[in-house]
mmCIF file with all atom_site columns, all heavy atoms in Angstrom:
data_model
loop_
_atom_site.group_PDB
_atom_site.id
_atom_site.type_symbol
_atom_site.label_atom_id
_atom_site.label_alt_id
_atom_site.label_comp_id
_atom_site.label_asym_id
_atom_site.label_entity_id
_atom_site.label_seq_id
_atom_site.pdbx_PDB_ins_code
_atom_site.Cartn_x
_atom_site.Cartn_y
_atom_site.Cartn_z
_atom_site.occupancy
_atom_site.B_iso_or_equiv
_atom_site.pdbx_formal_charge
_atom_site.auth_seq_id
_atom_site.auth_comp_id
_atom_site.auth_asym_id
_atom_site.auth_atom_id
_atom_site.pdbx_PDB_model_num
ATOM 1   N N   . GLY A 1 407 ? 7.240  -27.210 4.346   1.00 0.00 ? 407 GLY A N   1
ATOM 2   C CA  . GLY A 1 407 ? 7.114  -25.777 4.089   1.00 0.00 ? 407 GLY A CA  1
ATOM 3   C C   . GLY A 1 407 ? 6.690  -25.439 2.682   1.00 0.00 ? 407 GLY A C   1
ATOM 4   O O   . GLY A 1 407 ? 6.383  -26.283 1.826   1.00 0.00 ? 407 GLY A O   1
ATOM 5   N N   . SER A 1 408 ? 6.806  -24.152 2.345   1.00 0.00 ? 408 SER A N   1
ATOM 6   C CA  . SER A 1 408 ? 6.341  -23.630 1.044   1.00 0.00 ? 408 SER A CA  1
ATOM 7   C C   . SER A 1 408 ? 7.603  -23.100 0.295   1.00 0.00 ? 408 SER A C   1
ATOM 8   O O   . SER A 1 408 ? 8.506  -22.480 0.981   1.00 0.00 ? 408 SER A O   1
ATOM 9   C CB  . SER A 1 408 ? 5.312  -22.509 1.277   1.00 0.00 ? 408 SER A CB  1
ATOM 10  O OG  . SER A 1 408 ? 4.916  -22.038 0.019   1.00 0.00 ? 408 SER A OG  1
ATOM 11  N N   . PRO A 1 409 ? 7.645  -23.307 -0.963  1.00 0.00 ? 409 PRO A N   1
ATOM 12  C CA  . PRO A 1 409 ? 6.648  -23.897 -1.855  1.00 0.00 ? 409 PRO A CA  1
ATOM 13  C C   . PRO A 1 409 ? 6.680  -25.509 -1.698  1.00 0.00 ? 409 PRO A C   1
ATOM 14  O O   . PRO A 1 409 ? 7.714  -26.003 -1.249  1.00 0.00 ? 409 PRO A O   1
ATOM 15  C CB  . PRO A 1 409 ? 7.113  -23.613 -3.285  1.00 0.00 ? 409 PRO A CB  1
ATOM 16  C CG  . PRO A 1 409 ? 8.550  -23.262 -3.142  1.00 0.00 ? 409 PRO A CG  1
ATOM 17  C CD  . PRO A 1 409 ? 8.745  -22.677 -1.770  1.00 0.00 ? 409 PRO A CD  1
ATOM 18  N N   . THR A 1 410 ? 5.594  -26.113 -2.054  1.00 0.00 ? 410 THR A N   1
ATOM 19  C CA  . THR A 1 410 ? 5.489  -27.548 -1.891  1.00 0.00 ? 410 THR A CA  1
ATOM 20  C C   . THR A 1 410 ? 6.356  -28.234 -2.983  1.00 0.00 ? 410 THR A C   1
ATOM 21  O O   . THR A 1 410 ? 6.787  -27.653 -3.924  1.00 0.00 ? 410 THR A O   1
ATOM 22  C CB  . THR A 1 410 ? 4.075  -28.006 -2.083  1.00 0.00 ? 410 THR A CB  1
ATOM 23  O OG1 . THR A 1 410 ? 3.664  -27.698 -3.472  1.00 0.00 ? 410 THR A OG1 1
ATOM 24  C CG2 . THR A 1 410 ? 3.098  -27.213 -1.147  1.00 0.00 ? 410 THR A CG2 1
ATOM 25  N N   . PRO A 1 411 ? 6.580  -29.560 -2.746  1.00 0.00 ? 411 PRO A N   1
ATOM 26  C CA  . PRO A 1 411 ? 7.408  -30.299 -3.759  1.00 0.00 ? 411 PRO A CA  1
ATOM 27  C C   . PRO A 1 411 ? 6.784  -30.230 -5.173  1.00 0.00 ? 411 PRO A C   1
ATOM 28  O O   . PRO A 1 411 ? 7.555  -30.038 -6.128  1.00 0.00 ? 411 PRO A O   1
ATOM 29  C CB  . PRO A 1 411 ? 7.362  -31.742 -3.226  1.00 0.00 ? 411 PRO A CB  1
ATOM 30  C CG  . PRO A 1 411 ? 7.279  -31.596 -1.760  1.00 0.00 ? 411 PRO A CG  1
ATOM 31  C CD  . PRO A 1 411 ? 6.390  -30.415 -1.537  1.00 0.00 ? 411 PRO A CD  1
ATOM 32  N N   . ILE A 1 412 ? 5.479  -30.348 -5.258  1.00 0.00 ? 412 ILE A N   1
ATOM 33  C CA  . ILE A 1 412 ? 4.762  -30.220 -6.574  1.00 0.00 ? 412 ILE A CA  1
ATOM 34  C C   . ILE A 1 412 ? 4.981  -28.800 -7.179  1.00 0.00 ? 412 ILE A C   1
ATOM 35  O O   . ILE A 1 412 ? 5.273  -28.708 -8.385  1.00 0.00 ? 412 ILE A O   1
ATOM 36  C CB  . ILE A 1 412 ? 3.250  -30.489 -6.445  1.00 0.00 ? 412 ILE A CB  1
ATOM 37  C CG1 . ILE A 1 412 ? 3.086  -31.978 -6.147  1.00 0.00 ? 412 ILE A CG1 1
ATOM 38  C CG2 . ILE A 1 412 ? 2.562  -30.109 -7.658  1.00 0.00 ? 412 ILE A CG2 1
ATOM 39  C CD1 . ILE A 1 412 ? 3.344  -32.911 -7.327  1.00 0.00 ? 412 ILE A CD1 1
ATOM 40  N N   . GLU A 1 413 ? 4.921  -27.827 -6.393  1.00 0.00 ? 413 GLU A N   1
ATOM 41  C CA  . GLU A 1 413 ? 5.149  -26.407 -6.904  1.00 0.00 ? 413 GLU A CA  1
ATOM 42  C C   . GLU A 1 413 ? 6.553  -26.218 -7.357  1.00 0.00 ? 413 GLU A C   1
ATOM 43  O O   . GLU A 1 413 ? 6.850  -25.657 -8.376  1.00 0.00 ? 413 GLU A O   1
ATOM 44  C CB  . GLU A 1 413 ? 4.785  -25.428 -5.805  1.00 0.00 ? 413 GLU A CB  1
ATOM 45  C CG  . GLU A 1 413 ? 3.271  -25.334 -5.501  1.00 0.00 ? 413 GLU A CG  1
ATOM 46  C CD  . GLU A 1 413 ? 2.964  -24.509 -4.278  1.00 0.00 ? 413 GLU A CD  1
ATOM 47  O OE1 . GLU A 1 413 ? 3.868  -24.314 -3.419  1.00 0.00 ? 413 GLU A OE1 1
ATOM 48  O OE2 . GLU A 1 413 ? 1.812  -24.124 -4.105  1.00 0.00 ? 413 GLU A OE2 1
ATOM 49  N N   . ARG A 1 414 ? 7.506  -26.765 -6.633  1.00 0.00 ? 414 ARG A N   1
ATOM 50  C CA  . ARG A 1 414 ? 8.900  -26.646 -7.001  1.00 0.00 ? 414 ARG A CA  1
ATOM 51  C C   . ARG A 1 414 ? 9.160  -27.447 -8.272  1.00 0.00 ? 414 ARG A C   1
ATOM 52  O O   . ARG A 1 414 ? 9.922  -26.956 -9.130  1.00 0.00 ? 414 ARG A O   1
ATOM 53  C CB  . ARG A 1 414 ? 9.797  -27.103 -5.856  1.00 0.00 ? 414 ARG A CB  1
ATOM 54  C CG  . ARG A 1 414 ? 9.980  -26.137 -4.757  1.00 0.00 ? 414 ARG A CG  1
ATOM 55  C CD  . ARG A 1 414 ? 10.995 -26.604 -3.688  1.00 0.00 ? 414 ARG A CD  1
ATOM 56  N NE  . ARG A 1 414 ? 10.402 -27.495 -2.736  1.00 0.00 ? 414 ARG A NE  1
ATOM 57  C CZ  . ARG A 1 414 ? 10.717 -28.715 -2.509  1.00 0.00 ? 414 ARG A CZ  1
ATOM 58  N NH1 . ARG A 1 414 ? 11.717 -29.285 -3.177  1.00 0.00 ? 414 ARG A NH1 1
ATOM 59  N NH2 . ARG A 1 414 ? 10.083 -29.447 -1.553  1.00 0.00 ? 414 ARG A NH2 1
ATOM 60  N N   . ALA A 1 415 ? 8.528  -28.618 -8.347  1.00 0.00 ? 415 ALA A N   1
ATOM 61  C CA  . ALA A 1 415 ? 8.746  -29.444 -9.541  1.00 0.00 ? 415 ALA A CA  1
ATOM 62  C C   . ALA A 1 415 ? 8.205  -28.803 -10.732 1.00 0.00 ? 415 ALA A C   1
ATOM 63  O O   . ALA A 1 415 ? 8.835  -28.779 -11.830 1.00 0.00 ? 415 ALA A O   1
ATOM 64  C CB  . ALA A 1 415 ? 8.044  -30.841 -9.325  1.00 0.00 ? 415 ALA A CB  1
ATOM 65  N N   . ARG A 1 416 ? 7.036  -28.210 -10.660 1.00 0.00 ? 416 ARG A N   1
ATOM 66  C CA  . ARG A 1 416 ? 6.450  -27.526 -11.817 1.00 0.00 ? 416 ARG A CA  1
ATOM 67  C C   . ARG A 1 416 ? 7.248  -26.344 -12.253 1.00 0.00 ? 416 ARG A C   1
ATOM 68  O O   . ARG A 1 416 ? 7.468  -26.046 -13.449 1.00 0.00 ? 416 ARG A O   1
ATOM 69  C CB  . ARG A 1 416 ? 5.017  -27.157 -11.527 1.00 0.00 ? 416 ARG A CB  1
ATOM 70  C CG  . ARG A 1 416 ? 4.294  -26.564 -12.747 1.00 0.00 ? 416 ARG A CG  1
ATOM 71  C CD  . ARG A 1 416 ? 2.778  -26.674 -12.650 1.00 0.00 ? 416 ARG A CD  1
ATOM 72  N NE  . ARG A 1 416 ? 2.130  -26.285 -13.863 1.00 0.00 ? 416 ARG A NE  1
ATOM 73  C CZ  . ARG A 1 416 ? 0.918  -26.648 -14.183 1.00 0.00 ? 416 ARG A CZ  1
ATOM 74  N NH1 . ARG A 1 416 ? 0.195  -27.440 -13.363 1.00 0.00 ? 416 ARG A NH1 1
ATOM 75  N NH2 . ARG A 1 416 ? 0.348  -26.242 -15.286 1.00 0.00 ? 416 ARG A NH2 1
ATOM 76  N N   . ALA A 1 417 ? 7.715  -25.560 -11.266 1.00 0.00 ? 417 ALA A N   1
ATOM 77  C CA  . ALA A 1 417 ? 8.478  -24.364 -11.556 1.00 0.00 ? 417 ALA A CA  1
ATOM 78  C C   . ALA A 1 417 ? 9.797  -24.719 -12.296 1.00 0.00 ? 417 ALA A C   1
ATOM 79  O O   . ALA A 1 417 ? 10.195 -24.065 -13.239 1.00 0.00 ? 417 ALA A O   1
ATOM 80  C CB  . ALA A 1 417 ? 8.809  -23.576 -10.309 1.00 0.00 ? 417 ALA A CB  1
ATOM 81  N N   . ALA A 1 418 ? 10.439 -25.802 -11.806 1.00 0.00 ? 418 ALA A N   1
ATOM 82  C CA  . ALA A 1 418 ? 11.701 -26.276 -12.434 1.00 0.00 ? 418 ALA A CA  1
ATOM 83  C C   . ALA A 1 418 ? 11.413 -26.771 -13.913 1.00 0.00 ? 418 ALA A C   1
ATOM 84  O O   . ALA A 1 418 ? 12.204 -26.421 -14.741 1.00 0.00 ? 418 ALA A O   1
ATOM 85  C CB  . ALA A 1 418 ? 12.297 -27.345 -11.638 1.00 0.00 ? 418 ALA A CB  1
ATOM 86  N N   . ALA A 1 419 ? 10.372 -27.505 -14.089 1.00 0.00 ? 419 ALA A N   1
ATOM 87  C CA  . ALA A 1 419 ? 10.057 -28.023 -15.425 1.00 0.00 ? 419 ALA A CA  1
ATOM 88  C C   . ALA A 1 419 ? 9.724  -26.874 -16.365 1.00 0.00 ? 419 ALA A C   1
ATOM 89  O O   . ALA A 1 419 ? 10.181 -26.854 -17.564 1.00 0.00 ? 419 ALA A O   1
ATOM 90  C CB  . ALA A 1 419 ? 8.957  -29.013 -15.360 1.00 0.00 ? 419 ALA A CB  1
ATOM 91  N N   . GLU A 1 420 ? 8.891  -25.934 -15.914 1.00 0.00 ? 420 GLU A N   1
ATOM 92  C CA  . GLU A 1 420 ? 8.529  -24.831 -16.813 1.00 0.00 ? 420 GLU A CA  1
ATOM 93  C C   . GLU A 1 420 ? 9.774  -23.946 -17.089 1.00 0.00 ? 420 GLU A C   1
ATOM 94  O O   . GLU A 1 420 ? 9.809  -23.456 -18.241 1.00 0.00 ? 420 GLU A O   1
ATOM 95  C CB  . GLU A 1 420 ? 7.422  -24.057 -16.113 1.00 0.00 ? 420 GLU A CB  1
ATOM 96  C CG  . GLU A 1 420 ? 6.065  -24.747 -16.074 1.00 0.00 ? 420 GLU A CG  1
ATOM 97  C CD  . GLU A 1 420 ? 5.002  -23.997 -15.297 1.00 0.00 ? 420 GLU A CD  1
ATOM 98  O OE1 . GLU A 1 420 ? 5.360  -23.068 -14.571 1.00 0.00 ? 420 GLU A OE1 1
ATOM 99  O OE2 . GLU A 1 420 ? 3.827  -24.338 -15.480 1.00 0.00 ? 420 GLU A OE2 1
ATOM 100 N N   . ARG A 1 421 ? 10.611 -23.828 -16.203 1.00 0.00 ? 421 ARG A N   1
ATOM 101 C CA  . ARG A 1 421 ? 11.815 -22.988 -16.440 1.00 0.00 ? 421 ARG A CA  1
ATOM 102 C C   . ARG A 1 421 ? 12.705 -23.713 -17.454 1.00 0.00 ? 421 ARG A C   1
ATOM 103 O O   . ARG A 1 421 ? 13.242 -23.072 -18.378 1.00 0.00 ? 421 ARG A O   1
ATOM 104 C CB  . ARG A 1 421 ? 12.600 -22.786 -15.122 1.00 0.00 ? 421 ARG A CB  1
ATOM 105 C CG  . ARG A 1 421 ? 13.883 -22.012 -15.354 1.00 0.00 ? 421 ARG A CG  1
ATOM 106 C CD  . ARG A 1 421 ? 14.434 -21.517 -14.037 1.00 0.00 ? 421 ARG A CD  1
ATOM 107 N NE  . ARG A 1 421 ? 15.653 -20.708 -14.220 1.00 0.00 ? 421 ARG A NE  1
ATOM 108 C CZ  . ARG A 1 421 ? 16.214 -19.982 -13.245 1.00 0.00 ? 421 ARG A CZ  1
ATOM 109 N NH1 . ARG A 1 421 ? 15.713 -19.962 -12.128 1.00 0.00 ? 421 ARG A NH1 1
ATOM 110 N NH2 . ARG A 1 421 ? 17.295 -19.291 -13.517 1.00 0.00 ? 421 ARG A NH2 1
ATOM 111 N N   . ALA A 1 422 ? 12.799 -25.015 -17.378 1.00 0.00 ? 422 ALA A N   1
ATOM 112 C CA  . ALA A 1 422 ? 13.549 -25.790 -18.307 1.00 0.00 ? 422 ALA A CA  1
ATOM 113 C C   . ALA A 1 422 ? 13.044 -25.598 -19.709 1.00 0.00 ? 422 ALA A C   1
ATOM 114 O O   . ALA A 1 422 ? 13.839 -25.374 -20.695 1.00 0.00 ? 422 ALA A O   1
ATOM 115 C CB  . ALA A 1 422 ? 13.594 -27.253 -17.971 1.00 0.00 ? 422 ALA A CB  1
ATOM 116 N N   . VAL A 1 423 ? 11.763 -25.591 -19.947 1.00 0.00 ? 423 VAL A N   1
ATOM 117 C CA  . VAL A 1 423 ? 11.132 -25.521 -21.236 1.00 0.00 ? 423 VAL A CA  1
ATOM 118 C C   . VAL A 1 423 ? 11.274 -24.053 -21.754 1.00 0.00 ? 423 VAL A C   1
ATOM 119 O O   . VAL A 1 423 ? 11.532 -23.843 -22.928 1.00 0.00 ? 423 VAL A O   1
ATOM 120 C CB  . VAL A 1 423 ? 9.635  -25.906 -21.184 1.00 0.00 ? 423 VAL A CB  1
ATOM 121 C CG1 . VAL A 1 423 ? 8.987  -25.621 -22.492 1.00 0.00 ? 423 VAL A CG1 1
ATOM 122 C CG2 . VAL A 1 423 ? 9.552  -27.414 -20.899 1.00 0.00 ? 423 VAL A CG2 1
#
Side-chain angles (χ1 to χ4, degrees):
S408 182
T410 66
I412 288 289
E413 290 169 341
R414 283 185 276 118
R416 184 158 187 160
E420 289 175 344
R421 180 166 182 168
V423 173

